[in-house]
Amino acid sequence: MGIWSRRKFFLMSLASSFTAGAGKLLAGSLPANEAPLRAAAVPGTRPIIISSANGLHALDKGMDILRKGGDTLDAAVAVVTVVEDDPNDDSVGFGGLPNEEGEVELDASVMHGPTHRAGSVAAVRRIKNVARLAQTVMQETNHVMMVGEGARRFAVAEGFEEMNLLTEHSRKIWLAWKASSSMNWRPGVDSPEWKEHVRAIFDEDEAKIAYAERVIAHPPTGTIPCMAVDEKGDISATTTTSGLAWKIPGRVGDSPIIGAGCCVDNEVGAAGSTGKGEENIKISGGHTIIEMMRRGKSPEEACLEALGRIARNYNNDKKKLSTFHIFFYALNKDGVPGAASLWRNHYEEKGHSVYAVHDGTQARLAECKPFFDEINAHG
Ligand code: ASP
C-alpha cells in the first residue's frame, strides 16, 4: 500500500459499502460491462451532475434534487456535504488531515450560475460544512470571500455547529508526521526507532502504518469539486477541501479561489480542480477552462489546455512536473462532462485516473484524459 494515494485508499473503502465495481476498477480488473465510461463517450444530457471520484457514492443525492426541479447549487452542495460529513475521507471536512499544528483548516467556494453570484471561505477552523458556509456567505452577505477567524465567527452567528474536526485516525497520522519532522526526534525518519514509534501509534495495524508512511513521505492534497446542470441549462458548482496536509497555518489553496478551483458562467459551463492548488492559482485554471469552452473547445479539451499552461510554466520539464499531480473537471451547458489529469495515473500501472458522473441513470466512474501518458507516484 506504500504507493497508494489516499484518494485510492478512500475509494477502496467505498467498495464494500457502495459498489463492487469501484473496488474492482481500482484493482485494475474491471469486467467489460463495468468499465469506466470513456470520457469522450459520455454524451451531453440534462440534468447531469459530476464530481471528483470521491463523490461517486453521493451523486444520487444531487441528482434527486435536480430531478425534482431543485436548484443546481443546492444539488452540488448536497453532494459535497455527504463527503464533508464522512470521517473516512481525510481530504475534506470532518477527519481532514490537519495543518502542521494539528488543526484542520478548510477552504470552500460556490458559484451560482443563474444569479451570477459567488461565495467562498478560506482557512476556516472548527466548522465542518464549509461548502454550505460559502453558500451562506453568498446568500446572506454582499461579500464574496471570508477567511479565518472572521469566517468562523460568521458561521457560528449563522447557526453552524462548532466542533473538533480532527478524528482519532487523522490525529494519529499527525502525531506520526510530527515525530518525523521534529527537531528533537533524534533517530530520524527512516530509522528503526521511528518506525517502531509509528507501529506503536497504530497498534501494529499494517494498513494504517503503510498509509501513514505514505502521506508523511508525500504530503497529500484532496478535495471534492461538484458541478451540476439542470434540465433548463442552469449551472452551479462548488469545491471543498481540507487542502494540503501538514500545511503552514494560513496556507490557502485554489479551492476557495473563484476562477481557479471553481468557476461558472451560466452561458457556458462550470469547472473545478483537485491536486496542487498553487499550480492552478498561477494559471487561473477554472477561468481558463470556461473561456476555452466559450470558444468552442469540449470540456475535456479545455481541461487539457489548462494542464498545458501548467506544463509550460515548467518548460514542459517532466522531472519538475512529476513532483505534483493536478486534475481539472468541466461540464458544459449542454451537459457534456470532461476531465483531464496531468499524469495518466498516480497509483498503479494499469488504468486511468477517474472522476464521477451521474447522467440521470446511474452514478459511474469515467476516465480522465491524461496530459502525459505516464504514471506519477507522487500525486
Ligand atoms: N487543490 C487543493 C488545494 O491545493 C487540494 C486538493 O485538491 O487535493 O488545497
Side-chain angles (χ1 to χ4, degrees):
M1 180 155 162
I3 61 163
W4 285 14
S5 74
R6 65 189 168 146
R7 200 180 302 281
K8 178 181 180 186
F9 179 84
F10 174 70
L11 280 166
M12 286 300 286
S13 72
L14 277 183
S16 55
S17 61
F18 177 65
T19 149
K24 285 182 205 150
L25 166 73
L26 292 158
S29 62
L30 263 191
N33 66 348
E34 288 186 44
L37 301 174
R38 283 210 50 76
V42 180
T45 181
R46 298 195 315 220
I48 184 168
I49 187 160
I50 72 168
S51 74
S52 48
N54 54 345
L56 177 68
H57 63 306
L59 288 182
D60 269 340
K61 211 161 186 157
M63 183 49 73
D64 281 350
I65 294 174
L66 295 176
R67 275 204 199 100
K68 287 178 189 144
D71 182 72
T72 44
L73 184 56
D74 289 341
V77 170
V79 169
V80 303
T81 300
V82 173
V83 182
E84 288 175 339
D85 286 346
D86 185 347
N88 293 320
D89 187 326
D90 62 17
S91 68
V92 177
F94 182 44
L97 292 177
N99 66 19
E100 65 181 14
E101 292 172 353
E103 274 276 351
V104 179
E105 279 183 352
L106 305 179
D107 300 336
S109 57
V110 299
M111 280 193 90
H112 188 241
T115 59
H116 316 289
R117 285 182 303 165
S120 97
V121 292
V124 182
R125 299 181 176 193
R126 301 186 61 79
I127 303 292
K128 179 177 57 171
N129 297 125
V130 281
R132 192 159 55 80
L133 182 57
Q135 186 180 18
T136 308
V137 170
M138 182 192 88
Q139 287 169 339
E140 304 300 329
T141 76
N142 61 3
H143 308 316
V144 167
M145 187 166 200
M146 297 186 68
V147 304
E149 181 56 15
R152 185 193 63 75
R153 295 209 314 248
F154 170 76
V156 172
E158 289 290 330
F160 285 73
E161 185 197 343
E162 269 195 282
M163 62 185 289
N164 176 11
L165 298 176
L166 203 60
T167 55
E168 197 49 16
H169 173 66
S170 34
R171 189 183 68 83
K172 282 183 173 176
I173 299 177
W174 172 68
L175 280 181
W177 170 79
K178 218 160 112 72
S180 78
S181 66
S182 167
M183 297 285 281
N184 299 323
W185 187 263
R186 300 230 177 111
V189 179
D190 291 324
S191 66
E193 289 91 337
W194 184 75
K195 287 192 189 293
E196 266 322 295
H197 182 68
V198 173
R199 296 193 80 76
I201 290 177
F202 290 101
D203 293 331
E204 308 286 323
D205 182 323
E206 293 300 337
K208 287 184 181 163
I209 292 164
Y211 179 64
E213 285 179 355
R214 154 83 185 157
V215 296
I216 288 165
H218 302 291
T221 54
T223 299
I224 175 167
C226 183
M227 285 141 259
V229 179
D230 69 12
E231 218 171 340
K232 307 189 294 285
D234 281 334
I235 312 161
S236 293
T238 180
T239 300
T240 179
T241 190
S242 55
L244 179 67
W246 333 129
K247 61 193 169 188
I248 300 169
R251 177 268 185 188
V252 170
D254 61 321
S255 304
I257 308 296
I258 301 296
C262 180
C263 199
V264 173
D265 183 317
N266 212 48
E267 300 304 309
V268 178
S273 181
T274 60
K276 192 178 170 204
E278 283 76 1
E279 304 305 333
N280 182 14
I281 293 171
K282 287 186 283 182
I283 60 142
S284 303
H287 184 256
T288 294
I289 290 168
I290 297 292
E291 293 311 311
M292 290 298 137
M293 293 196 296
R294 195 193 306 280
R295 285 156 63 171
K297 284 197 191 276
S298 71
E300 184 180 288
E301 289 165 346
C303 291
L304 287 168
E305 169 69 28
L307 290 170
R309 293 185 185 197
I310 290 173
R312 278 202 295 280
N313 279 348
Y314 291 86
N315 297 318
N316 292 301
D317 180 333
K318 287 192 187 172
K319 193 156 176 241
K320 289 184 181 150
L321 289 161
S322 73
T323 59
F324 63 88
H325 210 328
I326 186 156
F327 300 74
F328 287 107
Y329 312 82
L331 186 55
N332 71 17
K333 194 174 174 68
D334 296 332
V336 178
S341 56
L342 184 59
W343 300 97
R344 177 157 63 84
N345 193 323
H346 62 125
Y347 42 70
E348 65 185 21
E349 293 192 14
K350 292 180 186 168
H352 283 66
S353 298
V354 287
Y355 69 109
V357 178
H358 198 315
D359 58 5
T361 51
Q362 61 170 328
R364 298 206 50 191
L365 294 170
E367 288 179 6
C368 298
K369 183 82 175 173
F371 185 81
F372 291 124
D373 196 34
E374 286 129 346
I375 298 154
N376 175 19
H378 290 282

